[in-house]
Amino acid sequence: GALVYQYPRRTICKSGTSMRMECQAVGFQATSVAWYRQSPQKTFELIALSTVNSAIKYEQNFTQEKFPISHPNLSFSSMTVLNAYLEDRGLYLCGASFQDTQYFGPGTRLLVL
Amino acid sequence: GQQVQQSPTSLVLQEGENAELQCNFSTSLNSMQWFYQRPGGSLISVFYNPSGTKQSGRLTSTTVIKERRSSLHISSSQITDSGTYLCASTGGLSGKLTFGEGTQVTVIS
């Protein structure tokens, strides 16, 4: 079956520091990988979408300078939150697409102190 | 861009009751998915349902594309059904999902 792993599941970082999170698709090759954030009391917002053979597209309010993404192959992606502050806390989900269905990992929950 | 409206915002059910959750889209959609979010936060895909009706156990999803809406019916609710249900529309093969705000379902005994 199609599975998506995310690491770490939970992390705490000091304000102003950076942290990297990883996403691994297992059992399939993802045609695209999307990163979402769910801030407290909010729904999911798309941060960026990385599609095979295309540049990574960031949504409004999210930039490569703040959330650099690496997508070296069809099954792995990583995203870094640079200079994390309180407003960056939340649940970060990775969604890997295969045949029109998006499979999600369990998320990385980021706490910022 | 696409906007997704879900209703109701929250719902409390007596165990055994049925419920219907609604999802409306502002623009035409290529396909849509229903998700269940556990209290811990992880997201589970419940239905990929671009059109028509699909059933899985006690859950039934009906999507009417030309009316830009989808519904999720829960029959004979159980306490374990408690959580947040989100609908989202997809942009075809691009993989971009636009999420609704979710419906928080609480089933009590």
Side-chain angles (χ1 to χ4, degrees):
Chain A
L3 293 172
V4 177
Y5 291 102
Q6 285 189 251
Y7 178 83
R9 293 290 303 275
R10 192 179 183 91
T11 187
I12 302 172
C13 67
K14 288 184 178 179
S15 183
T17 63
S18 303
M19 71 83 52
R20 179 173 177 266
M21 54 190 76
E22 299 179 350
C23 174
Q24 178 86 47
V26 177
F28 68 103
Q29 292 193 317
T31 52
S32 65
V33 174
W35 286 92
Y36 299 86
R37 179 174 73 188
Q38 185 183 39
S39 300
Q41 309 304 321
K42 290 186 177 180
T43 192
F44 292 93
E45 295 177 277
L46 178 66
I47 296 171
L49 178 65
S50 178
T51 305
V52 173
N53 298 325
S54 295
I56 298 172
K57 187 176 184 300
Y58 286 81
E59 291 295 293
Q60 196 173 10
N61 301 325
F62 298 98
T63 65
Q64 184 180 2
E65 290 71 32
K66 172 71 175 178
F67 300 96
I69 290 171
S70 172
H71 192 183
N73 57 57
L74 289 175
S75 61
F76 181 82
S77 178
S78 66
M79 184 177 76
T80 302
V81 181
L82 294 175
N83 298 318
Y85 288 99
L86 193 61
E87 58 265 27
D88 294 319
R89 62 192 171 132
L91 180 69
Y92 288 80
L93 283 186
C94 156
S97 293
F98 178 68
Q99 294 183 346
D100 285 342
T101 299
Q102 195 153 121
Y103 299 94
F104 284 89
T108 294
R109 189 168 293 279
L110 173 64
L111 296 174
V112 181
L113 301 179
Chain B
Q2 177 75 275
Q3 293 184 356
V4 181
Q5 297 287 340
Q6 281 191 249
S7 61
T9 305
S10 62
L11 195 57
V12 178
L13 301 168
Q14 287 282 346
E15 197 172 12
E17 282 185 331
N18 300 332
E20 186 150 298
L21 284 54
Q22 299 289 343
C23 188
N24 291 282
F25 305 93
S26 62
T27 64
S28 59
L29 60 151
N30 293 330
S31 60
M32 63 81 56
Q33 287 183 250
W34 281 97
F35 295 92
Y36 168 68
Q37 185 176 25
R38 291 186 176 131
S42 60
L43 211 60
I44 299 170
S45 179
V46 177
F47 284 111
Y48 169 73
N49 188 12
S51 66
T53 298
K54 286 191 173 182
Q55 182 176 2
S56 176
R58 294 179 293 102
L59 299 178
T60 304
S61 169
T62 299
T63 297
V64 184
I65 286 189
K66 61 181 180 181
E67 295 180 11
R68 301 178 192 166
R69 62 175 177 86
S70 182
S71 63
L72 181 68
H73 187 264
I74 305 173
S75 62
S76 303
S77 59
Q78 299 178 1
I79 291 175
T80 51
D81 294 330
S82 298
T84 301
Y85 292 80
L86 297 122
C87 64
S89 65
T90 55
L93 292 174
S94 72
K96 175 179 176 177
L97 277 169
T98 302
F99 283 87
E101 297 288 324
T103 294
Q104 189 167 349
V105 174
T106 305
V107 183
I108 57 176
S109 58

Short mmCIF file of all heavy atoms in Angstrom, two decimals, chain B residues 4 10 72 91:
data_model
loop_
_atom_site.label_atom_id
_atom_site.label_comp_id
_atom_site.label_asym_id
_atom_site.label_seq_id
_atom_site.Cartn_x
_atom_site.Cartn_y
_atom_site.Cartn_z
N VAL B 4 -13.52 26.81 -0.22
CA VAL B 4 -14.28 25.64 0.21
C VAL B 4 -15.02 25.96 1.49
O VAL B 4 -14.41 26.36 2.48
CB VAL B 4 -13.34 24.43 0.42
CG1 VAL B 4 -14.13 23.20 0.83
CG2 VAL B 4 -12.53 24.14 -0.84
N SER B 10 -19.60 22.50 13.67
CA SER B 10 -19.46 21.44 14.66
C SER B 10 -20.79 20.73 14.84
O SER B 10 -21.85 21.26 14.48
CB SER B 10 -18.98 22.00 16.01
OG SER B 10 -19.92 22.90 16.52
N LEU B 72 -21.00 14.19 3.05
CA LEU B 72 -20.51 12.98 3.72
C LEU B 72 -21.56 12.57 4.72
O LEU B 72 -21.91 13.35 5.62
CB LEU B 72 -19.18 13.23 4.41
CG LEU B 72 -18.57 12.03 5.13
CD1 LEU B 72 -18.12 10.97 4.13
CD2 LEU B 72 -17.38 12.46 6.00
N GLY B 91 -6.64 20.09 -7.67
CA GLY B 91 -6.41 20.69 -8.97
C GLY B 91 -5.88 19.67 -9.95
O GLY B 91 -4.76 19.81 -10.42
#
